[in-house]
């Protein structure tokens, strides 16, 4: 459903919980200091400051996709313990933290947002909304995806609740979270794409103290296999025809 634009001035003085938009999306342009991103976003790689400034400059010319926000009241009903993090912000960003970060670095005064209160209908709905945009756009690396599932397990009270929500098994949930058993150094290799996910899951099942050695052995094995293949190509394949 397309949102309808309402001027910020028309909302001045209204309590956040009385602002329209609880039942349908409402398009707003909000000062950055009235916004705060949720701490439950699994995304950790937002780009360098220079990349964000460049993105912010593009947003200043035209912001094609608004961020998605909920009111502080709705958010704190779900997570009262997040009051200190929310601070004086009136809205919490569910989707669009990178746009918010880029706008701050580029010196933009405001951000286009869609106020969708139903996103905060439950913890599960909010966390799913946070993950959905990243997953749909394939913005998350494998470690961030694993972290997203782990956040849901923690906040929803267990793997079984997450499995039921997604219509999956507990085994599926465990498999998604398995990468988080890797050491921090090896997680970085997975995030960068240097370590294949299939190999990473195998190594994640090992004790932390032997994981680096296991990866070094895997690298050596792959290097030997590549060198053998290169020698075979250089020498040429043997002629299979009879002499």
């Amino acid at each position: 459903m397309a949102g309808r634009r309402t001027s910020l001035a028309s909302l001045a003085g209204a309590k956040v919980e009385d602002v329209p938009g609880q039942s349908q999306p409402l398009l707003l342009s909000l000062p950055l200091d009235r916004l705060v991103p949720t701490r439950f976003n699994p995304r950790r790689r937002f780009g360098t400051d220079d990349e964000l400034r460049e993105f912010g400059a593009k947003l200043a010319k035209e912001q094609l996709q608004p961020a998605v926000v909920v009111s502080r009241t709705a958010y704190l009903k779900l997570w009262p313990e997040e009051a200190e993090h929310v601070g004086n912000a009136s809205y919490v960003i569910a989707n669009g933290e990178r746009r918010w970060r880029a706008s701050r670095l580029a010196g933009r005064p405001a951000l286009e947002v869609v106020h969708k209160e139903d996103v905060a209908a439950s913890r599960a709905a909010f966390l799913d909304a946070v993950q959905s945009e990243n997953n749909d756009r394939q913005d998350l690396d494998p470690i961030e995806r694993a972290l997203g599932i782990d956040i849901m397990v923690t906040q929803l009270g267990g793997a079984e609740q997450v499995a039921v929500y997604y219509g999956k098994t507990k085994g599926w949930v465990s498999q998604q979270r398995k990468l988080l058993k890797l050491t921090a150094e090896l997680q970085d290799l997975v995030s960068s794409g240097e370590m294949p996910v299939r190999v990473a899951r195998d190594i994640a099942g090992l004790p932390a103290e032997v994981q680096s050695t296991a990866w070094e052995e895997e690298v050596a094995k792959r290097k030997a296999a590549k060198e053998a293949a290169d020698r075979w190509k250089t020498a040429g394949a043997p002629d299979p025809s009879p002499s």
Side-chain angles (χ1 to χ4, degrees):
M1 182 189 301
R4 54 189 176 84
R5 186 181 297 274
T6 296
S7 68
L8 193 59
S10 70
L11 303 180
K15 294 181 180 179
V16 172
E17 56 267 34
D18 294 334
V19 170
Q22 294 190 29
S23 61
Q24 67 181 85
L26 180 68
L27 186 60
L28 300 167
S29 179
L30 293 175
L32 296 185
D33 61 5
R34 294 192 65 187
L35 301 166
V36 65
T38 176
R39 291 195 307 115
F40 300 122
N41 186 358
R43 187 172 183 175
R44 295 296 179 263
R45 296 156 67 94
F46 293 95
T48 65
D49 284 355
D50 286 342
E51 289 170 339
L52 287 174
R53 286 191 188 93
E54 182 179 354
F55 181 38
K58 292 179 180 177
L59 292 175
K61 293 180 180 178
E62 184 176 23
Q63 184 184 334
L64 297 176
Q65 186 177 13
V68 176
V69 303
V70 300
S71 71
R72 64 173 286 122
T73 300
Y75 187 76
L76 293 180
K77 282 182 180 178
L78 298 178
W79 287 286
E81 65 274 17
E82 288 294 298
E84 183 176 354
H85 169 71
V86 173
N88 295 324
S90 302
Y91 297 88
V92 178
I93 301 171
N95 295 149
E97 181 174 349
R98 185 166 183 264
R99 276 156 273 172
W100 177 78
R101 286 172 176 260
S103 296
R104 291 179 69 194
L105 281 175
R108 295 187 68 206
L111 188 69
E112 297 285 324
V113 306
V114 172
H115 176 201
K116 296 182 67 175
E117 205 74 333
D118 58 351
V119 167
S122 66
R123 286 191 175 192
F126 185 88
L127 295 174
D128 187 41
V130 170
Q131 291 205 75
S132 292
E133 182 191 47
N134 289 318
N135 287 334
D136 290 346
R137 296 171 57 198
Q138 298 183 332
D139 276 353
L140 299 181
D141 65 51
I143 296 299
E144 289 172 329
R145 292 192 190 97
L147 181 59
I149 294 296
D150 189 63
I151 288 172
M152 292 194 75
V153 169
T154 300
Q155 296 302 319
L156 300 187
E160 186 172 352
Q161 286 81 349
V162 178
V164 170
Y165 186 82
Y166 282 115
K168 303 287 187 178
T169 64
K170 287 180 66 175
W172 176 86
V173 175
S174 297
Q175 187 75 351
Q176 302 304 306
R177 301 169 70 199
K178 191 173 183 180
L179 294 178
L180 300 180
K181 295 181 180 179
L182 291 169
T183 63
E185 293 77 12
L186 296 187
Q187 286 187 29
D188 287 342
L189 295 180
V190 177
S191 293
S192 67
E194 185 174 342
M195 182 187 294
V197 173
R198 178 186 59 79
V199 174
R201 286 202 173 110
D202 289 340
I203 294 178
L206 301 174
E209 60 269 20
V210 301
Q211 289 180 5
S212 293
T213 300
W215 171 238
E216 291 170 359
E217 292 173 350
E218 176 68 21
V219 170
K221 182 173 68 175
R222 287 168 176 259
K223 181 179 179 181
K226 183 179 184 302
E227 290 174 348
D230 289 343
R231 287 195 300 270
W232 187 86
K233 290 178 182 178
T234 301
D239 187 354
S241 61
S243 55

